[in-house]
Amino acid sequence: MRPGSILNLDNDAVRVYHPDSGPKRLPLIRIDHVVVFGGVSITEDLRHRCAADQRSVTWLSGNGRFLSRVIGPQGGNPLLRVAQHDALRDPARRLDVARSFVAGKLQNTRQLLLRAAADASGARQAALRAAATAIANDLPGLANTDNINVVLGIEGQAAKRYVGCWRHLLSAHAKVPAPTHRVSRPPTDPVNAALSFGYGMLRVAVHGALETVGLDPYIGYLHGIRPGKPALALDLMEEMRQLLVDRTVFTAFNLRQLLPEHFTTHPGGGCELTEDGRRAFLTQWSEARAREWPHRQLDRPVPAATLPVIQARLLARHLRGDTPRYLPWSPA
């Protein structure tokens, strides 16, 4: 993350060197992905080793926007990708998978609101519970429609209800105001900047999980096919955004682990985390990835860091015809 840093291969470890702080070694076996920000160099030998190990190297901008990615030879059974394409061409199957992604998003959005309401009181608590109830009432509409546009409409309506509650998710302890809507290109305030950065980190994990399983990240069901966009990665992210990223962001602001001085605003109005801000966020992100969540299908708790791979494997099983439905992850 620190400009001027150089990453190179040192036997079975990554050696990180910066002239002002000296070298550090990190064992490769403990690294899932390498994420590089501006001004950081990674040597050819390390890139080749990561490619051989199927460990991705991803470059992100300061606000978490995807820039580029290096990955080794693609693995997986090509028959799985044929099944993935066949499911997209079948309107009923596409609709069924898309509904599952949205159902998972709505369930977990509701969970986030209810968890926040449990720590709130008065009008703030009532508003959070009311939004959670309204989103729960949106769920039956998913099962009763056979139109993908209606599914997208339900998702959009729930998202609007959720964003309307951001001012209640931020407590009186937070040092930043709540935005009234989601802004991402570029984010224009600290909350949206932190969310964009978190979504960038989640995208790296989900994209890598899909490639590990052998699925094509660019062939989606809810998002369809969008040139230049990893539609399936965006699909799978939907059920994980609120509890993995949003919860981390709002908690960090409420506990003053993220402060206004952790952000900078550019002349054009774009807002992004400073180097200290990214370091503060990544500390919380690492803790969030280590947290265990219940998984009903596995009947045991699993670390958040493993959820993208687990759900990608479950999706692959459904597309191959091994299971009748894809069940999204939800801890409740």
Side-chain angles (χ1 to χ4, degrees), residues 61-83:
S61 70
N63 63 12
R65 184 171 59 85
F66 176 84
L67 297 176
S68 62
R69 176 183 178 86
V70 172
I71 189 69
Q74 294 297 294
N77 187 340
L79 294 177
L80 173 58
R81 295 204 177 197
V82 172

Side-chain angles (χ1 to χ4, degrees), residues 145-177:
T145 182
D146 58 0
N147 189 315
I148 189 71
N149 291 323
V150 174
V151 172
L152 290 168
I154 292 172
E155 186 272 335
Q157 179 174 267
K160 186 176 180 180
R161 299 186 203 277
Y162 170 63
V163 173
C165 279
W166 279 1
R167 69 183 189 276
H168 302 299
L169 290 173
L170 286 178
S171 71
H173 296 287
K175 291 290 189 177
V176 297

Side-chain angles (χ1 to χ4, degrees), residues 248 251-259 262 277 280-281 284 287:
T248 301
T251 298
F253 280 116
N254 289 338
L255 297 180
R256 297 184 182 177
Q257 295 159 336
L258 285 177
L259 298 165
H262 286 136
F281 179 92
Q284 305 310 314
E287 293 179 3

Side-chain angles (χ1 to χ4, degrees), residues 4-295:
S5 297
I6 300 173
L7 281 67
N8 65 276
L9 184 65
D10 185 359
N11 294 317
D12 289 323
V14 176
R15 181 178 181 269
V16 183
Y17 174 76
H18 191 279
D20 295 339
S21 58
K24 297 179 182 178
R25 291 180 81 256
L26 301 169
L28 276 168
I29 197 171
R30 296 177 56 189
I31 299 173
D32 296 324
H33 316 282
V34 178
V35 183
V36 184
F37 295 91
V40 176
S41 301
I42 178 168
T43 60
E44 184 178 20
D45 58 347
L46 179 57
R47 290 200 306 271
H48 288 171
R49 174 61 185 273
C50 288
D53 292 347
Q54 291 295 302
R55 182 182 296 105
S56 66
V57 180
T58 304
W59 282 261
L60 299 181
S61 70
N63 63 12
R65 184 171 59 85
F66 176 84
L67 297 176
S68 62
R69 176 183 178 86
V70 172
I71 189 69
Q74 294 297 294
N77 187 340
L79 294 177
L80 173 58
R81 295 204 177 197
V82 172
Q84 182 182 357
H85 285 255
D86 287 344
L88 178 66
R89 295 188 188 98
D90 184 333
R93 292 195 68 196
R94 177 190 176 185
L95 178 68
D96 188 57
V97 177
R99 276 194 298 224
S100 293
F101 289 132
V102 174
K105 178 176 183 176
L106 268 58
Q107 288 278 19
N108 291 336
T109 300
R110 178 174 173 272
Q111 283 296 311
L112 175 62
L113 295 173
L114 291 175
R115 287 168 186 264
D119 295 327
S121 61
R124 181 169 166 244
Q125 183 182 71
L128 289 167
R129 287 179 173 171
T133 299
I135 290 173
N137 291 337
D138 290 334
L139 281 165
L142 288 174
N144 297 327
T145 182
D146 58 0
N147 189 315
I148 189 71
N149 291 323
V150 174
V151 172
L152 290 168
I154 292 172
E155 186 272 335
Q157 179 174 267
K160 186 176 180 180
R161 299 186 203 277
Y162 170 63
V163 173
C165 279
W166 279 1
R167 69 183 189 276
H168 302 299
L169 290 173
L170 286 178
S171 71
H173 296 287
K175 291 290 189 177
V176 297
T180 58
H181 54 286
R182 173 78 176 122
V183 182
S184 60
R185 294 183 175 274
T188 54
D189 61 88
V191 172
N192 274 303
L195 289 172
S196 289
F197 189 85
Y199 294 153
M201 298 302 296
L202 180 60
R203 174 179 167 176
V204 169
V206 171
H207 196 126
L210 292 169
E211 289 180 332
T212 297
V213 170
L215 290 166
D216 186 341
Y218 289 85
I219 303 298
Y221 300 97
L222 179 64
H223 292 91
I225 299 177
R226 302 167 65 183
K229 297 291 185 181
L232 188 60
L234 298 175
D235 285 356
L236 195 57
M237 284 174 63
E238 294 295 352
E239 65 196 68
M240 302 178 193
R241 288 177 188 263
Q242 277 67 37
L243 292 181
L244 300 192
V245 177
D246 295 27
R247 181 179 181 276
T248 301
V249 167
F250 286 109
T251 298
F253 280 116
N254 289 338
L255 297 180
R256 297 184 182 177
Q257 295 159 336
L258 285 177
L259 298 165
E261 52 264 36
H262 286 136
F263 299 84
T264 183
T265 301
H266 299 294
C271 180
E272 70 178 33
L273 286 152
T274 63
E275 183 180 333
D276 287 342
R278 289 195 293 271
R279 186 174 291 110
F281 179 92
L282 290 173
T283 297
Q284 305 310 314
W285 179 243
S286 295
E287 293 179 3
R289 280 170 51 84
R291 173 177 175 167
E292 291 192 338
W293 290 90
H295 198 290

